[in-house]
């Protein structure tokens, strides 16, 4: 998931002539916290954009009269101190702004900003180590900020996602206090591919529009959304939500000129991802998941030959070539693996360390090593449902389909309706050529989590294989709109 920046700008509103507006800005004050997090140990390489974007944005805010604090590669404790310091600078009627560029994670329909030292292995870890946008906005509001603006460039594919496969991609809608303006760099529950440059498209276009005199903040962000959508050919469509009751301009003392109004998505209790935010040129929203209960999924006889040679080729593409020996050698220097190796040297029966090392191995493509660790974890704890699910997934990727099916079935016996295992078993069935069983599993997973991109894409492939071409194409296109890397991901599993 490509995650980008979070900006919270709390701005006092100008309400009369220009001189009164400037005076109000000076009395209330403009405070900003700008954070760029790039060096995450769990990522394969540092992010290129956050530090440069944070520095340039901070400079622009200073020119606009903000009292700016900037932080780079902040740990959880450092982020907590920076936020507390910002809270202390807020006065009644202040403008408060937070900019965050780095990795963000959606969990339980909330968006979390992730510090560089977060240890995320299960979903509760997100709430423990991450910083909820809703919580931050609520705290700023309680300090009396007049206008609250949050800009998040955090819709990146993150390195934690496959550790617990039920995570939704991208960010979630925010329930914010009144007087708040929020913008994400991409649509809800979608991610953006890294463009490989030193600055993000979102921040580059945002800075251009902020520098345009005479614009109110809502129009500045709407123009940014249009610019990004056009420049990306609708591959990236930022999301906006506003509950502002007064006018506010990033450039103090400016009055609004006659400009074309653009609709803003107002936050509401029943907000659904991608509604009221995508311009006409953008991709269609995700189709609704069927409401009826999926039919029970029978075990798949993977040893049974496919009905025809053509179907066999379509259902089970050649496994991708993997150099696990080379990967294992490289992982010997991985800091997380080193730490876990140390724990296991002290206690070879540390089931938690075995499971986590298996997750690291699997995420890096060392599936044989991962399976060995999951084997050991399951021997120590025969009811470790997560280990069964992850071993199912790893075995599926390398083509051990019969054993994988047994693991997924055991995970679902231990925890019925376990969405991760339904998604994994769908992949087993897809690779086995049991397309109808795959559809049933993916349907069940999507009923629990409608934004589970892997299940949406897998269901699309399975539908195409049974001849439901149009329905399959819709699922596939929607999954690709949510996660541009999903095709590459499935190809790494040996599914195309």
């Amino acid at each position: 998931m490509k995650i980008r920046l979070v900006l919270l700008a709390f701005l006092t509103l100008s309400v009369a002539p220009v001189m009164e507006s400037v005076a109000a800005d000076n009395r209330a004050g403009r405070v900003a916290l700008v954070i760029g997090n790039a060096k995450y140990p769990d990522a394969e390489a540092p992010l290129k954009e956050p530090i440069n974007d944070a520095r340039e944005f901070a400079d622009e805010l200073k020119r606009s009269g903000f009292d700016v604090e900037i932080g780079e590669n902040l740990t959880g404790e450092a982020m907590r101190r920076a936020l507390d310091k910002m809270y202390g600078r807020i006065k009644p009627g202040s403008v408060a702004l937070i900019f965050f560029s780095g990795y963000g994670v959606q969990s339980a329909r909330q968006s979390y900003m992730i510090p560089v030292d977060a240890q995320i292995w299960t979903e509760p870890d997100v709430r423990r180590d991450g910083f909820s946008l809703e919580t931050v906005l609520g705290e700023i509001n309680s300090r009396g900020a007049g206008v609250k603006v949050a800009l998040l460039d955090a819709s990146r594919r993150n390195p934690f996602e496959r550790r617990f496969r039920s995570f939704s991609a991208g960010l979630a809608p925010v329930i914010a206090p009144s007087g708040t303006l929020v913008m994400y760099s991409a649509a809800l529950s979608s991610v953006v591919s890294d463009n490989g440059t030193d600055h993000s498209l979102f921040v580059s276009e945002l800075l251009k529009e902020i520098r345009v005199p005479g614009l109110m903040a809502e129009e500045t962000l709407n123009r940014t959304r249009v610019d990004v959508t056009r420049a990306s050919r609708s591959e990236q469509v930022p999301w906006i939500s506003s509950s502002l009751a007064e006018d506010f301009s990033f450039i103090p003392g400016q009055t609004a000129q006659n400009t074309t109004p653009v609709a803003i998505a107002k936050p509401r209790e029943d907000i659904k991802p991608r509604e009221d935010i995508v311009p006409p040129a953008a991709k269609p929203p995700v189709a609704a998941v069927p409401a009826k209960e999926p039919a029970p999924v029978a075990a798949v006889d993977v040893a049974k030959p496919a009905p025809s040679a053509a179907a066999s080729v379509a259902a089970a593409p050649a496994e991708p070539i993997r150099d696990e020996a080379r990967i294992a050698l490289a992982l010997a220097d991985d800091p997380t693996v080193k730490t876990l190796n140390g724990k296991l040297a002290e206690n070879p029966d540390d089931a938690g360390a075995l499971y986590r090392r298996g997750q690291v191995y699997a995420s890096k493509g060392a599936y044989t090593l991962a399976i060995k660790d999951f084997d050991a974890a399951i021997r120590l704890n025969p009811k470790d449902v997560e280990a069964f699910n992850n071993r199912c997934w790893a075995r599926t990727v390398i083509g051990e389909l019969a054993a994988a099916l047994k693991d997924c079935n055991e995970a679902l016996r231990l925890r019925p309706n376990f969405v991760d295992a339904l998604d994994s078993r769908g992949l087993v069935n897809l690779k086995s050529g049991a397309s109808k069983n795959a559809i049933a599993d993916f349907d069940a997973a999507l009923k629990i989590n409608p934004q589970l991109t892997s299940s949406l894409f897998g269901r699309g492939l399975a539908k195409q294989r049974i001849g439901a071409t149009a329905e399959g194409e819709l699922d596939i296109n929607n999954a690709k709109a949510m996660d541009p890397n999903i095709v590459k991901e499935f190809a790494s599993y040996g599914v195309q």
Side-chain angles (χ1 to χ4, degrees):
M1 285 182 262
K2 199 167 183 171
I3 282 182
R4 301 191 178 184
L5 112 126
V6 175
L7 254 206
L8 285 185
F10 303 92
L11 310 166
T12 42
L13 289 148
S14 47
V15 292
V18 172
M19 291 306 296
E20 288 185 66
S21 171
V22 174
D25 281 327
N26 289 337
R27 286 195 305 270
R30 294 179 163 214
V31 300
L33 172 61
V34 176
I35 299 173
N37 281 352
K39 293 183 178 179
Y40 291 83
D42 289 313
E44 294 182 357
L47 297 169
K48 291 185 177 181
E49 301 160 347
I51 301 300
N52 294 330
D53 286 342
R55 291 173 180 176
E56 189 169 354
F57 202 88
D59 289 342
E60 185 61 33
L61 291 176
K62 290 174 184 177
R63 286 190 287 269
S64 297
F66 281 87
D67 176 14
V68 180
E69 291 283 341
I70 185 169
E72 298 177 2
N73 294 318
L74 298 186
T75 63
E77 182 57 34
M79 281 185 67
R80 187 168 288 104
R81 289 197 303 268
L83 286 165
D84 286 342
K85 186 175 181 179
M86 183 184 72
Y87 299 150
R89 291 187 292 148
I90 296 172
K91 299 177 182 179
S94 286
V95 175
L97 180 153
I98 179 171
F99 172 100
F100 175 85
S101 181
Y103 284 124
V105 173
Q106 175 185 164
S107 177
R109 292 190 68 75
Q110 288 196 39
S111 297
Y112 290 82
M113 299 171 278
I114 305 300
V116 296
D117 64 342
Q119 294 293 310
I120 296 176
W121 298 92
T122 63
E123 191 156 3
D125 295 340
V126 178
R127 296 186 287 275
R128 181 197 67 201
D129 289 354
F131 292 82
S132 163
L133 174 60
E134 289 186 6
T135 300
V136 171
L137 284 171
E139 183 63 29
I140 292 173
N141 185 64
S142 72
R143 301 299 178 109
V147 177
K148 297 155 285 290
V149 179
L151 305 175
L152 288 74
D153 193 2
S155 300
R156 296 180 171 95
R157 182 70 176 271
N158 67 72
F160 316 110
E161 203 172 311
R162 283 307 177 213
R163 291 178 178 175
F164 41 112
R165 303 186 68 217
S166 59
F167 263 13
S168 296
L171 301 179
V174 60
I175 301 175
S178 61
T180 302
L181 181 61
V182 178
M183 186 175 194
Y184 296 163
S185 60
L188 299 173
S189 299
S190 64
V191 295
V192 180
S193 297
D194 189 351
N195 59 20
T197 63
D198 293 334
H199 294 279
S200 74
L201 173 63
F202 174 65
V203 176
S204 298
E205 297 299 335
L206 178 61
L207 287 170
K208 289 178 186 177
E209 296 299 342
I210 283 179
R211 292 163 184 157
V212 176
L215 296 182
M216 292 298 99
E218 285 186 346
E219 184 168 7
T220 296
L221 300 192
N222 270 292
R223 288 169 59 125
T224 299
R225 180 176 64 182
V226 172
D227 293 343
V228 172
T229 303
R230 182 182 298 115
S232 68
R233 298 183 180 181
S234 298
E235 290 294 326
Q236 180 178 350
V237 183
W239 177 83
I240 303 172
S241 175
S242 175
S243 61
L244 291 182
E246 306 172 72
D247 288 334
F248 158 73
S249 174
F250 283 98
I251 302 177
Q254 294 286 350
T255 56
Q257 305 296 319
N258 291 330
T259 53
T260 303
V262 184
I264 301 281
K266 301 288 182 180
R268 55 189 188 275
E269 290 294 325
D270 62 341
I271 189 166
K272 297 179 181 179
R274 303 181 67 85
E275 284 189 353
D276 301 327
I277 57 170
V278 183
K283 294 178 183 290
V286 177
V289 179
K292 71 175 185 178
E293 290 287 338
V297 182
V300 181
D301 183 2
V302 296
K304 186 181 296 183
S308 67
S312 177
V313 171
E319 295 298 332
I321 298 174
R322 308 181 191 282
D323 188 354
E324 292 205 19
R326 178 182 57 79
I327 296 172
L329 186 62
L331 284 173
D333 293 325
D334 183 273
T336 304
V337 172
K338 282 185 175 180
T339 300
L340 294 170
N341 285 345
K343 289 185 177 182
L344 289 166
E346 295 176 1
N347 178 15
D349 291 335
D350 186 337
L354 285 164
Y355 173 72
R356 291 189 175 189
R357 191 175 66 178
Q359 289 180 305
V360 175
Y361 285 150
S363 69
K364 302 294 184 180
Y367 297 104
T368 302
L369 291 176
I371 290 168
K372 289 180 179 178
D373 277 348
F374 294 141
D375 286 346
I378 290 169
R379 280 197 298 272
L380 292 167
N381 180 10
K383 294 185 178 181
D384 190 338
V385 64
E386 286 85 3
F388 274 111
N389 171 62
N390 279 280
R391 191 171 69 177
C392 169
W393 172 55
R395 282 174 163 172
T396 303
V397 174
I398 65 174
E400 296 179 358
L401 301 180
L405 182 64
K406 290 180 180 179
D407 280 343
C408 276
N409 286 339
E410 180 62 14
L412 287 164
R413 186 189 69 80
L414 292 168
R415 186 184 298 174
N417 297 319
F418 181 22
V419 68
D420 300 22
L422 288 167
D423 184 56
S424 297
R425 192 171 67 179
L427 182 63
V428 177
N429 287 332
L430 189 65
K431 291 193 70 172
S432 301
S435 298
K436 290 183 178 180
N437 282 355
I439 291 170
D441 277 332
F442 291 138
D443 276 345
L446 287 165
K447 183 176 182 181
I448 299 168
N449 182 356
Q451 301 302 319
L452 190 55
T453 314
S454 54
S455 284
L456 189 62
F457 187 80
R459 188 177 69 178
L461 293 178
K463 285 181 176 179
Q464 287 191 329
R465 291 178 182 178
I466 65 170
T469 306
E471 292 181 20
E473 189 73 16
L474 178 61
D475 279 349
I476 289 170
N477 286 340
N478 284 325
K480 288 163 66 176
M482 293 164 62
D483 183 354
N485 295 314
I486 193 67
V487 177
K488 183 179 179 181
E489 178 185 324
F490 267 67
S492 73
Y493 302 159
V495 178
Q496 295 176 346

